[in-house]
Amino acid sequence: MNDKKDLLKNLPKVDECIGVLTVKFNNTVPIKLIKRAVQECIETERQHILNDTGNYQQKSDDDWQALFQAALQKRLQPNLRRVINGTGVVVHTNLGRSLLSADATLALAQAASHYTNLEFNLETGKRGSRYSLVENIICELTGAEAALVVNNNAAAVLLVLETLANGKEAIVSRGQLVEIGGSFRIPDVMKKSGVRLVEVGATNRTHLSDYETAISEETALLLKVHTSNFRMIGFTSEVPLADLVDLGRQRGILVMEDLGSGCLIDLSAYHLPKEPTVQEVISAGVDVVTFSGDKLLGGPQAGIIAGKREVIDKIKNNPLNRALRIDKFTLASLENIMRNYYDTNLAIQNIPTLTMLTVSPRLIKGKGRKLLRRLKTKLAPDCQVQLIPTVSRVGGGAMPEYSLPSWAIELQPEKISLNVLEKEFRRLTPPVIGRIENEGFLLDLRTIQEDEVIELAALLIGFFGAETASK
Ligand SMILES: *Cc1c(COP(=O)(O)O)cnc(C)c1O
């Protein structure tokens, strides 16, 4: 026991350590951060001593300095960091979904560091509306009469339901009551918007007559939800949107589709499965459609609401709209991204999400060869490396079971397990995220950016070099 008391007494003094580190960092680091880092290290050590069962080793001054500096470095790093996405999932929700093009990023940066005409009409000199900045573009591209944009698609769904059916009923097919990642469930959102959900049909099949029978005095909306992240196969049937629209018209009930991903290009022309486009949904005659800005659209996080003018006007005037409104950075980058869609080739070329989805496996393989050339001799004998065919995913809840043919660098470390490798790669700067498959750790080149290939090679060489040195 006495031993422990002595050890505790010998722990470094916080104030002295802060003094040394302040000098070391030349007063460039806030003292509060230094203090927290020092306290954290000493507290951890105190716990080690208290829990020690006899083999505790006292730290040298150098050990302590290294500990403090590592703890401080960690605190100085931003919490939101760039990562290298080697998962091959293009619209990876956990890794930030869509990337913006350099051009869109510039538009965003301009809006961030300069005053803008966000709500100022430059023609009249009077107050303007932030929605008018993108409304025309959305309408021209989709064929909608009117549109507005809010924080994300979940907000869009909430706002539309609250505006059009609060206190009333909305009819939805059982097969479409989906849960999107992050616990977004259609039935829960409906509850929050004050809408009573009327489920119709069986899980696998819903017929027009199911909707017809369910319509009552209380029905305000027929809602179709795109089953983004799952597919039903086998004995299934859904009511075509056009039939729902006809029914709605006959009975004087509004029809809405939550499209989820929101695609403006027919991707089946690019060897991808057919997804309904926003234009098709609008031309089928729905009153309102909602979709995400950062899924297949390839823009910033946003929820786009488009449809009939009368309906959109009501939604715009809902006070809830103010709480869900889109910020100027999003608007700037969204406008920039949307403008590409006037020319399909331009969109495919300039919007990173679309470029990554449509790039040929041959080009992906080329990127892999470039990486492999830099690695091959350098990683041996600590890690075997080869270029192998693999499949990527679209992600973002779109085309769930579709496999995009791709190429990956497969790493097979000799001295550490795949799980350790995976964990250590998450600690690199920047972190490298891949996936373990069969006997290897895979880095899919589809989602590794062109300008990351050389950086990644250096990171891998550095990692295995350090591994060897520590052995
Ligand atoms: C993704 C998705 C949402 C939520 O959109 P966010 O932009 O993530 O808020 C809503 N509905 C469907 C069908 C979706 O696929």
Side-chain angles (χ1 to χ4, degrees), residues 40-333:
E40 185 181 287
C41 294
I42 295 178
E43 181 51 32
T44 308
E45 199 66 10
R46 187 191 310 281
Q47 294 304 325
H48 281 169
I49 295 172
L50 291 173
N51 298 328
D52 176 52
T53 50
N55 39 17
Y56 176 78
Q57 290 256 328
Q58 227 173 323
K59 289 200 160 41
S60 69
D61 282 355
D62 283 352
D63 290 342
W64 278 110
Q65 281 305 315
L67 260 186
F68 291 150
Q69 284 185 40
L72 195 54
Q73 287 303 346
K74 216 168 156 187
R75 281 181 175 273
L76 290 174
Q77 255 180 2
N79 291 328
L80 180 66
R81 280 187 285 158
R82 168 169 90 91
V83 305
I84 293 181
N85 176 7
T87 64
V89 180
V90 177
V91 186
H92 198 306
T93 295
N94 301 145
L95 301 184
R97 288 198 182 156
S98 285
L99 308 184
L100 295 179
S101 60
D103 220 29
T105 310
L106 195 64
L108 186 156
Q110 284 271 358
S113 58
H114 293 79
Y115 289 108
T116 59
N117 61 333
L118 180 66
E119 291 186 351
F120 182 74
N121 185 322
L122 290 171
E123 312 240 312
T124 63
K126 300 222 169 73
R127 187 174 201 279
S129 143
R130 66 179 64 209
Y131 301 106
S132 63
L133 299 169
V134 285
E135 180 168 15
N136 275 347
I137 301 175
I138 297 170
C139 292
E140 283 181 357
L141 292 173
T142 64
E145 289 174 10
L148 81 155
V149 186
V150 290
N151 181 61
N152 60 3
N153 189 36
V157 173
L158 176 74
L159 180 62
V160 175
L161 290 176
E162 212 276 339
T163 311
L164 303 180
N166 184 9
K168 299 202 140 192
E169 292 175 354
I171 305 180
V172 193
S173 159
R174 279 211 171 79
Q176 297 169 1
L177 292 173
V178 295
E179 172 177 319
I180 321 292
S183 68
F184 176 87
R185 279 188 179 166
I186 286 294
D188 296 343
V189 176
M190 295 183 86
K191 216 176 281 165
K192 282 287 173 202
S193 61
V195 177
R196 289 194 304 279
L197 173 68
V198 177
E199 298 175 33
V200 295
T203 305
N204 57 333
R205 289 171 75 87
T206 304
H207 309 285
L208 191 62
S209 57
D210 294 323
Y211 290 91
E212 278 175 320
T213 330
I215 291 176
S216 75
E217 287 288 297
E218 293 292 296
T219 309
L221 198 65
L222 304 178
L223 169 62
K224 182 177 163 97
V225 181
H226 187 53
T227 57
S228 323
N229 54 7
F230 76 106
R231 281 279 174 282
M232 287 201 289
I233 51 167
F235 189 57
T236 64
S237 82
E238 262 190 0
V239 176
L241 187 59
D243 293 356
L244 270 192
V245 169
D246 278 348
L247 178 62
R249 236 174 242 153
Q250 281 164 31
R251 310 288 285 264
I253 296 168
L254 297 173
V255 178
M256 162 183 181
E257 172 149 18
D258 171 18
L259 200 44
S261 212
C263 197
L264 292 177
I265 290 177
D266 181 0
L267 290 172
S268 63
Y270 297 86
H271 313 290
L272 285 154
K274 170 85 183 119
E275 278 280 300
T277 64
V278 179
Q279 298 88 305
E280 287 162 2
V281 171
I282 292 287
S283 83
V286 289
D287 294 287
V288 57
V289 57
T290 61
F291 53 99
S292 280
D294 55 354
K295 291 183 180 173
L296 285 178
L297 192 78
Q301 177 191 306
I304 300 169
I305 307 171
K308 302 270 161 68
R309 177 168 307 283
E310 202 184 326
V311 173
I312 298 294
D313 280 346
K314 270 193 206 146
I315 298 168
K316 281 182 181 165
N317 291 327
N318 186 335
L320 189 56
N321 182 17
R322 172 58 189 252
L324 305 173
R325 80 176 180 187
I326 183 175
D327 65 81
K328 60 184 176 179
F329 318 120
T330 311
L331 265 171
S333 51

Side-chain angles (χ1 to χ4, degrees), residues 11 99 115 283 290 300 326 333 341 351 404 431 433 444 459:
L11 282 172
L99 308 184
Y115 289 108
S283 83
T290 61
I326 183 175
S333 51
Y341 280 101
I351 299 176
L404 295 148
I433 317 295
D444 187 327
L459 274 173

Side-chain angles (χ1 to χ4, degrees), residues 379-385 411-417 421 464:
L379 299 196
D382 297 319
C383 183
Q384 289 182 37
V385 47
L411 301 174
Q412 292 178 318
E414 299 286 341
K415 293 175 183 156
I416 52 174
S417 71
L421 184 78
F464 285 103

